[in-house]
Amino acid sequence: MTTALDDARKHAARVVTGELVARLTRGVPGSGRTACHSPLTGERLAELPESTVEEVAGAFARARTAQRPWAARPVRRRAAVLLRFHDLLLRRQDEILDLIQLETGKARLHAHEEVQAVAVAARHYGRKAPAYLRPRRHTGSVPLLTRVRQLRHPRGVVGQIAPWNYPLELSVGDALPALVAGNALVMKPDTETALTALWARRLLIEAGLPEDVWQVVLGDGPVVGRAVVEHADYVSFTGSTATGRLVAQGAAARLVGASLELGGKNAMLVLQDADLDKAAAGAVRSCFSSAGQLCISIERLYVHESVADAFLERFTARTRALRLGGGLDWGAGMGSLSSQAQLDTVVRHVKDAVANGATVLAGGNPRPDLGPYFHEPTVLDGVTPAMAVCEQETFGPVVSVYRFTDEDEAVERANATPYGLNSSVWSRDARRARRIAARLHTGTVNINEGYAAAYGSVQAPMGGMGDSGLGRRHGAEGIHKYTEPQTIAHQRVMPLAPSFGMDDRQYARFMSGSLRVLKALRFR
């Protein structure tokens, strides 16, 4: 009888061939060797080049040389590369879905969320980049006499450090606006999910990106990641809050900008007038997509006491019904965790909660029969602040349930965290839900959805408050952060100084009168 592990090994051997690895790693600097592993088996998936600090410097040098002619291309030609990439991605999505599953262990539907997100970003910036980057005219200090034009220049070479949990979306998804803005890129993906990022790079090159414009370096974060920060003209980082602080310090020491999307302890509020069936289904998606290894997934459920029992009956039934699986096919409700470290955190948080009096309403156990890092989706009740799971980010398929009595209490408890990434409100009353949403201290709030509505709306900014990070991805902010704005002011006829025979006092009176007139004419 074949086991799930046997099937996973067969899939890995079929998908990750020596020919594929050689093609994806061509041009990646690495005098050393490292490896990535599949969480579906715990075994080595591929051997990869490992970069030295000197090789990181060389990658930046090549990127700087390639960046100048890339930036000289008209923005519409750069944007056309993104639109071709969009089409190639959708056409060849089965290839990347297999790789994402093998490298992360997530269910195929959750892997497809990454394809959707990247396609949307490619379409958006492929269409909107010319408008976001076009020169703009502004009112000058003296209208008609002062003409002001604002330009946006690429920063140069962006250093990007991408995480393991969403290896397609959080690598190429963040790279697209940086590249279309005219920058080159040196990326350090997580080694364990590097094949996905390397596949995306090859596809973008196939779409027309010059090869040296996007460099990839591989290796340990404290060595290679630090070297990326030390050379970059701007840093894009997604990862833990602790590491994000170090990245921010490194960028600040060099006076270069940085955007950081960090951790979260995201809350979902189920109000007493919520549609409980829809809320329960939404909670399953919000808590257990990618086995909870999603920065914007829900880890805290606040449910009005009058509907708590009815909601939990629906929610726990749906949670228990989730089918766990590690096959490269459709139908599994949840996949594996990505590593032993993630499984250890989940087990520790659940055991600590139970030992201190919490009740397991669903799940609660590892599933080594399915693979080395599988764990059941778990719902905890009776969680108190003394338990680690209450305030610490679990980053796994574990959610804690809390009851509240009124709107003010729900908002106060949801906001009682240093994090501020994402939140969710469920109610049939749209006005009430919007009022509560505006009071939540998170960068995105979803109404009658967990995370996908806000994240998928790429014309709007997405990012965190507090310990959840700095800066935003998506929309205008998501591309403007990769540019340096430049103001060019052309003064005509007379200077902004005494002239035409005026002395200082006469000039001051003239300007004071002009300012009053400009206000009366409603100039801004």
Side-chain angles (χ1 to χ4, degrees):
M1 175 186 287
T2 61
T3 66
L5 286 176
D6 292 332
D7 288 340
R9 291 186 183 105
K10 290 177 182 177
H11 290 315
R14 172 180 59 82
V15 174
V16 184
T17 63
E19 180 184 356
L20 175 71
V21 175
R23 179 169 64 85
L24 297 187
T25 58
R26 188 173 66 245
V28 176
S31 52
R33 306 304 292 173
T34 185
C36 60
H37 303 78
S38 176
L40 297 178
T41 63
E43 298 167 358
R44 176 178 291 197
L45 194 59
E47 187 176 84
L48 302 169
E50 184 173 40
S51 307
T52 64
V53 170
E54 292 75 20
E55 286 166 335
V56 174
F60 271 93
R62 291 189 295 276
R64 290 194 190 285
T65 299
Q67 186 265 335
R68 298 183 189 96
W70 171 246
R73 289 192 190 187
V75 64
R76 291 190 181 278
R77 285 185 57 199
R78 300 197 301 264
V81 173
L82 272 60
L83 296 176
R84 289 193 292 271
F85 172 79
H86 170 280
D87 295 344
L88 287 171
L89 174 64
L90 295 180
R91 189 179 310 144
R92 292 167 51 185
Q93 60 182 278
D94 284 345
E95 298 175 30
I96 193 59
L97 290 175
D98 287 348
L99 274 181
I100 293 171
Q101 287 193 273
L102 286 170
E103 288 199 303
T104 67
K106 65 178 64 178
R108 200 165 187 85
L109 178 62
H110 303 153
H112 198 269
E113 286 188 351
E114 298 200 48
V115 172
Q116 295 172 45
V118 171
V120 169
R123 183 194 71 219
H124 176 69
Y125 287 114
R127 299 289 189 203
K128 291 281 290 184
Y132 285 142
L133 300 173
R134 73 170 183 263
R136 296 185 180 275
R137 295 193 181 277
H138 298 292
T139 301
S141 58
V142 180
L144 303 180
L145 301 186
T146 311
R147 292 184 174 177
V148 176
R149 195 165 179 252
Q150 178 185 314
L151 306 180
R152 287 196 172 272
H153 300 286
R155 289 184 180 266
V157 181
V158 171
Q160 184 183 350
I161 302 173
W164 49 264
N165 59 320
Y166 271 66
L168 182 69
E169 158 59 4
L170 297 179
S171 60
V172 68
D174 281 348
L176 294 175
L179 293 168
V180 78
N183 298 283
L185 184 73
V186 176
M187 176 188 292
K188 192 205 87 65
D190 190 282
T191 301
E192 294 293 1
T193 53
L195 293 175
T196 295
L198 290 167
W199 184 92
R201 175 178 177 264
R202 277 290 147 201
L203 199 68
L204 201 56
I205 291 168
E206 187 176 329
L209 182 75
E211 187 161 350
D212 281 351
V213 169
W214 183 356
Q215 302 282 325
V216 172
V217 292
L218 300 175
D220 291 339
V223 177
V224 176
R226 179 180 290 127
V228 168
V229 175
E230 289 173 352
H231 289 279
D233 300 315
Y234 184 87
V235 180
S236 172
F237 173 82
T238 303
S240 71
T241 297
T243 304
R245 293 185 192 280
L246 298 176
V247 171
Q249 291 169 10
R254 299 184 50 242
L255 296 180
V256 301
S259 57
L260 315 167
E261 195 217 282
L262 309 177
K265 193 70 176 175
N266 308 304
M268 173 173 159
L269 281 58
V270 181
L271 308 187
Q272 63 189 116
D273 67 338
D275 183 318
L276 298 185
D277 288 316
K278 290 181 179 178
V284 169
R285 293 192 304 273
S286 306
C287 300
F288 305 129
S289 289
S290 294
Q293 298 169 122
L294 172 61
C295 297
I296 51 180
S297 67
I298 299 298
E299 294 196 8
R300 297 180 293 151
L301 278 172
Y302 293 95
V303 188
H304 194 277
E305 61 178 5
S306 66
V307 298
D309 291 343
F311 169 80
L312 287 173
E313 181 181 358
R314 292 164 170 80
F315 177 51
T316 55
R318 289 176 178 272
T319 299
R320 294 189 194 98
L322 279 178
R323 183 175 76 82
L324 276 63
L328 304 191
D329 53 5
W330 304 94
M334 196 183 86
S336 171
L337 288 158
S338 291
S339 68
Q340 185 66 51
Q342 294 306 119
L343 178 62
D344 289 346
T345 298
V346 169
V347 170
R348 176 170 55 84
H349 279 190
V350 173
K351 284 186 174 180
D352 171 74
V354 172
N356 285 282
T359 301
V360 177
L361 300 182
N365 299 301
R367 291 292 302 275
D369 55 309
L370 298 175
Y373 311 134
F374 277 84
H375 193 283
E376 295 171 340
T378 300
V379 182
L380 298 174
D381 195 10
V383 171
T384 67
M387 303 171 190
V389 75
C390 183
E391 296 181 359
Q392 295 177 20
E393 184 180 28
T394 305
F395 218 61
V398 179
V399 62
S400 304
V401 179
Y402 309 89
R403 292 158 177 80
F404 68 88
T405 57
D406 61 49
E407 180 180 304
D408 290 340
E409 179 193 0
V411 170
E412 181 179 357
R413 293 174 71 182
N415 286 337
T417 171
Y419 296 110
L421 191 55
N422 180 54
S423 54
S424 173
V425 180
W426 291 75
S427 172
R428 286 187 173 94
D429 185 337
R431 182 176 299 178
R432 183 186 186 197
R434 288 195 297 268
R435 183 178 67 245
I436 292 174
R439 297 174 61 191
L440 295 172
H441 298 163
T442 57
T444 55
V445 185
N446 295 262
I447 295 175
N448 295 337
E449 178 55 60
Y451 63 83
Y455 195 92
S457 301
V458 295
Q459 290 195 42
M462 178 272 163
M465 302 177 182
D467 284 2
S468 290
L470 301 171
R472 296 292 185 267
R473 61 164 55 95
H474 296 167
E477 290 91 340
I479 190 170
H480 285 167
K481 67 184 181 183
Y482 294 121
T483 67
E484 293 280 11
Q486 179 186 46
T487 297
I488 299 174
H490 178 193
Q491 189 65 24
R492 305 163 64 239
V493 181
M494 61 175 290
L496 293 176
S499 55
F500 298 113
M502 289 185 286
D503 59 23
D504 292 356
R505 178 174 294 181
Q506 290 170 326
Y507 171 72
R509 288 174 178 170
F510 169 75
M511 290 302 296
S512 296
S514 299
L515 293 172
R516 294 187 182 96
V517 169
L518 292 174
K519 180 177 180 293
L521 294 175
R522 298 186 177 277
F523 275 90
R524 288 176 287 178

